């Protein structure tokens, strides 16, 4: 089982959730958007669930106008990750209409790559499984450089389990 949340619920909600699902594999994906989040509350709930032994992932997204705020929050999350295990997915900036990568500059790309590398260097306990991109095993079709290619189910899962936003240049699902 998996739950998606923006982390805005109370600590009591997350404590009750952990108590309810403690005998099951249960993943929590926190979707973080600095333009909407109350960071201290968000961080506290990540700390509570990850510290409670749950498989926790953070999908970190931001609009270009919040890049400085995003960088400060990323630093705090990296510091927290040094103490507690959780998975991290850092996405390219998006515009309010949802288009990814618009308004993204070279400094953003370098910062995102450095942030991903910093998280990737930290070891994860073997018993935790990523809550990201799990799905029923089925094939998907991708388009690469104008050619459609149907991937085998195993290849589809491998593609979807990558904890990165892929480059969409010449490559579309």
């Amino acid at each position: 089982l998996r739950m998606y949340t923006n982390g805005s619920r109370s600590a009591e909600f997350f404590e009750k959730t952990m108590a309810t699902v403690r005998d099951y594999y249960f993943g929590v994906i926190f979707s973080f958007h600095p333009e909407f989040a109350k960071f201290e509350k968000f961080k506290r709930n990540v700390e509570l669930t990850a510290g409670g032994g749950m498989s926790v992932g953070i999908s970190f997204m931001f609009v270009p106008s919040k890049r400085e705020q995003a960088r400060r929050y990323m630093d705090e999350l990296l510091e927290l990750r040094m103490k507690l295990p959780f998975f991290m997915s850092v996405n390219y900036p998006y515009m309010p209409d949802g288009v990814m990568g618009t308004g993204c500059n070279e400094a953003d790309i370098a910062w995102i790559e450095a942030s991903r590398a910093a998280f990737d260097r930290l070891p994860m306990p073997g018993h935790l499984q990523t809550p990201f991109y799990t799905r029923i095993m089925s094939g998907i079709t991708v388009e690469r450089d104008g050619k459609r290619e149907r991937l085998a189910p195993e290849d589809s899962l491998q593609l979807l389990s990558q904890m990165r936003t892929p480059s969409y240049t010449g490559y579309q699902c």
Side-chain angles (χ1 to χ4, degrees), residues 2-5 14 26-30 49 54-58 131:
R2 165 180 16 164
M3 174 176 69
Y4 292 86
T5 178
F14 289 100
F26 190 86
V28 179
I29 297 175
F30 287 91
T49 52
M54 295 185 86
S55 287
V56 171
I58 297 175

Side-chain angles (χ1 to χ4, degrees), residues 102-171:
T102 305
C104 183
N105 59 39
E106 288 186 30
D108 291 331
I109 293 170
W111 172 73
I112 289 165
E113 294 302 320
S115 297
R116 288 174 175 170
F119 277 93
D120 288 348
R121 283 191 296 273
L122 299 172
M124 287 295 290
H127 70 282
L128 293 177
Q129 298 176 26
T130 177
F132 291 109
Y133 309 122
T134 56
R135 60 179 271 188
I136 297 171
M137 195 181 248
S138 62
I140 62 172
T141 301
V142 295
E143 186 173 316
R144 292 184 182 148
D145 300 319
K147 296 179 184 176
R148 296 177 72 75
E149 178 184 348
R150 181 156 176 81
L151 299 179
E154 295 82 8
D155 295 333
S156 297
L157 288 174
Q158 183 178 12
L159 175 71
L160 294 171
S161 69
Q162 295 173 357
M163 296 214 15
R164 318 198 167 289
T165 303
S167 167
Y168 292 106
T169 304
Y171 181 76

Side-chain angles (χ1 to χ4, degrees), residues 9-152:
R9 301 291 300 261
S10 68
E12 293 77 24
F13 170 83
F14 289 100
E15 288 169 346
K16 184 176 180 182
T17 299
M18 288 191 314
T20 302
V21 300
R22 72 174 164 258
D23 295 328
Y24 302 95
Y25 169 74
F26 190 86
V28 179
I29 297 175
F30 287 91
S31 179
F32 182 74
H33 304 260
E35 65 271 28
F36 303 115
K38 293 181 179 175
F39 183 71
E40 289 307 316
K41 185 176 191 179
F42 177 89
K43 185 176 152 185
R44 182 195 68 222
N45 287 330
V46 168
E47 191 170 8
L48 178 71
T49 52
M54 295 185 86
S55 287
V56 171
I58 297 175
S59 182
F60 190 97
M61 297 162 266
F62 65 100
V63 294
S65 64
K66 298 289 184 181
R67 67 175 38 97
E68 294 308 315
Q69 192 177 25
R71 290 176 186 208
R72 284 192 310 273
Y73 294 155
M74 182 66 71
D75 289 344
E76 286 191 46
L77 290 171
L78 183 57
E79 187 177 311
L80 180 61
R81 176 56 189 86
M82 291 179 190
K83 300 173 191 170
L84 294 170
F86 58 86
F87 296 90
M88 187 72 164
S89 174
V90 185
N91 298 289
Y92 293 109
Y94 66 93
M95 296 305 285
D97 64 4
V99 177
M100 294 291 290
T102 305
C104 183
N105 59 39
E106 288 186 30
D108 291 331
I109 293 170
W111 172 73
I112 289 165
E113 294 302 320
S115 297
R116 288 174 175 170
F119 277 93
D120 288 348
R121 283 191 296 273
L122 299 172
M124 287 295 290
H127 70 282
L128 293 177
Q129 298 176 26
T130 177
F132 291 109
Y133 309 122
T134 56
R135 60 179 271 188
I136 297 171
M137 195 181 248
S138 62
I140 62 172
T141 301
V142 295
E143 186 173 316
R144 292 184 182 148
D145 300 319
K147 296 179 184 176
R148 296 177 72 75
E149 178 184 348
R150 181 156 176 81
L151 299 179

